[in-house]
Amino acid sequence: MKSHRLPLFFLISVLLLLGFSLATFYVASLAERYTLGHFGSYYSYFQKTLLLLGLSLIIAVMLQFVNYRVFRYLAIPVYVIQTGLLVAVLFIGTGMYGSRRWISIMGLFGLQPSEIQKLVIILVVALILTLPQKRLNVGLKILLVIAAVVPSVLLVKKEPDLGSASLLLGISVIMLVHFRLTGRQLLVLGLVLALVAGGLWLSLRPYQRTRIETFLNPQADPLGNGYNVIQSIVATGSGGMWGRGIKGSTQAPLSFVPVQYADFVFSLVGELFGFAGSALLVLLFIMLLWSTFLVFRSLTDDFARYIVVGIGAMWFLQAAVSMGMTIGLSPVTGIPLPFISYGGSSLLTQVAAASMVVSVYRIRDELRF
């Protein structure tokens, strides 16, 4: 693929994913109207997503006027502010299902700091890994990354949001692996991760452990802890090859699957559009990740390369876990499907990340600071 076509190929994949999200919520609202005789929550999700998308695109366009290298200087101040918000959400945050994840902004909408923190961590890790070698050796850089990431992981887990906490850790690890570590350094990193994983397991709340155990055998408690996964699998498989469409869908209109508009949105896709629609969505994510990889290969600036690696890792991990948990291939962790799940903070983060990828590609040939 020619270099000048990369931004177009990337943008098409992002726009198709956003369009897929809008189509999913609109068709679900029509199914809801057909089954219940009136529009319900899905029409509200469609309207709000349309509004949030407009706001996100405005911010994305504004980011195109900012040289991405400015983020080298903004990364630490933004990280400090974001860490403050993660602390604040534990005291003044609002939430549901036993967790505090949102900060109400004048009662109009909720800001979810843990979503935005994904992008902030990418910028901070990219900054640390590109500091001059004369000032910091590899070992000190790794320690700085750990010092920057661990507080965020612990604060997000405290909400509790184990899925986002694990995602922050996963993104950082992938970026570190790209740092071209030696065999010994990789071994040490592996041991540290094993200790962290052990510590996280010991600190899990009972319901979080139950989720992991349910993943291994959801049928052990089909009416209790395994209910969400079983209903999600039923909804996904009920679509058959071409989906149940507006007149045949029942799981979504009757709310058999909890939070089907967000965490389990892939099951909504399966029910409405069937295997064909689900396969198309997977193909769009492959298209997104492949075009992101092509952008990465075209870059020469290390800071830009780490940013793109981190964003690509975020999209891959979120898509894989989110789709996997709806069909029983990964534990239920509450991770949204990028560009598809309903949620203002998530949509803003994903669109901003896409805008940053375009930005680093667009000015890739300029001299570094």
Side-chain angles (χ1 to χ4, degrees):
M1 182 175 294
K2 292 183 179 180
S3 178
H4 66 274
R5 295 181 182 175
L6 290 180
L8 181 62
F9 186 61
F10 175 82
L11 285 172
I12 288 174
S13 63
V14 171
L15 292 175
L16 287 176
L17 283 168
L18 292 171
F20 200 106
S21 175
L22 290 173
T24 299
F25 288 127
Y26 185 68
V27 173
S29 71
L30 296 179
E32 203 170 39
R33 182 183 183 186
Y34 180 84
T35 303
L36 304 178
H38 58 82
F39 281 118
S41 57
Y42 279 102
Y43 190 64
S44 174
Y45 298 144
F46 168 74
Q47 291 178 310
K48 291 179 181 178
T49 298
L50 197 58
L51 178 63
L52 291 167
L53 178 58
L55 176 61
S56 299
L57 290 177
I58 291 174
I59 295 175
V61 171
M62 292 172 61
L63 284 175
Q64 292 305 303
F65 294 93
V66 179
N67 188 316
Y68 74 89
R69 295 181 180 88
V70 171
F71 294 120
R72 291 184 66 93
Y73 306 102
L74 295 179
I76 299 302
V78 173
Y79 173 82
V80 172
I81 294 172
Q82 267 291 121
T83 302
L85 291 176
L86 289 175
V87 173
V89 80
L90 300 177
F91 297 96
I92 63 172
T94 60
M96 59 182 69
Y97 306 116
S99 65
R100 292 175 175 266
R101 301 183 185 179
W102 294 269
I103 295 177
S104 179
I105 307 298
M106 297 184 293
L108 299 176
F109 61 92
L111 177 70
Q112 188 175 358
S114 59
E115 281 295 319
I116 301 173
Q117 189 70 358
K118 299 169 187 175
L119 201 51
V120 174
I121 283 295
I122 290 171
L123 294 176
V124 170
V125 174
L127 170 65
I128 294 172
L129 296 182
T130 53
L131 290 173
Q133 290 284 3
K134 293 180 179 179
R135 297 169 60 183
L136 293 170
N137 59 34
V138 173
L140 287 176
K141 288 183 179 181
I142 294 175
L143 289 176
L144 280 177
V145 169
I146 294 173
V149 173
V150 169
S152 296
V153 171
L154 295 177
L155 286 171
V156 173
K157 180 184 173 297
K158 186 71 175 176
E159 294 180 2
D161 185 357
L162 182 62
S164 294
S166 301
L167 191 63
L168 291 174
L169 194 60
I171 292 170
S172 305
V173 170
I174 291 176
M175 294 178 72
L176 278 173
V177 170
H178 176 68
F179 191 47
R180 298 180 293 273
L181 301 178
T182 64
R184 172 182 285 184
Q185 290 165 342
L186 285 172
L187 178 61
V188 172
L189 180 62
L191 292 174
V192 171
L193 289 175
L195 291 173
V196 171
L200 286 175
W201 173 257
L202 293 175
S203 65
L204 290 181
R205 299 186 180 187
Y207 83 91
Q208 292 173 325
R209 293 192 183 189
T210 301
R211 281 185 176 182
I212 297 176
E213 293 165 356
T214 301
F215 155 66
L216 299 174
N217 185 17
Q219 297 295 338
D221 189 9
L223 298 179
N225 295 312
Y227 178 83
N228 291 4
V229 176
I230 292 173
Q231 291 300 320
S232 177
I233 294 173
V234 170
T236 306
S238 68
M241 177 58 72
W242 303 108
R244 305 184 72 174
I246 296 172
K247 297 182 178 181
S249 298
T250 55
Q251 299 288 104
L254 299 176
S255 302
F256 279 104
V257 183
V259 205
Q260 197 173 14
Y261 56 89
D263 299 350
F264 290 96
V265 73
F266 189 64
S267 68
L268 179 62
V269 172
E271 181 182 3
L272 294 175
F273 306 123
F275 176 80
S278 301
L280 175 61
L281 182 57
V282 172
L283 185 62
L284 290 178
F285 274 110
I286 292 174
M287 180 177 173
L288 173 71
L289 292 172
W290 176 246
S291 60
T292 303
F293 173 70
L294 293 178
V295 169
F296 164 76
R297 287 186 58 186
S298 71
L299 301 174
T300 56
D301 178 60
D302 287 339
F303 183 62
R305 287 169 69 89
Y306 282 117
I307 289 175
V308 175
V309 166
I311 291 173
M314 176 180 69
W315 286 336
F316 169 74
L317 292 174
Q318 281 196 231
V321 173
S322 182
M323 290 189 285
M325 74 180 188
T326 63
I327 54 178
L329 295 181
S330 64
V332 176
T333 55
I335 291 179
L337 187 59
F339 302 103
I340 307 297
S341 293
Y342 172 76
S345 298
S346 174
L347 183 60
L348 174 62
T349 300
Q350 304 305 330
V351 173
S355 180
M356 291 183 66
V357 172
V358 174
S359 176
V360 298
Y361 179 85
R362 185 172 54 84
I363 57 178
R364 66 194 185 282
D365 294 326
E366 293 182 8
L367 294 174
R368 68 179 66 180
F369 280 153

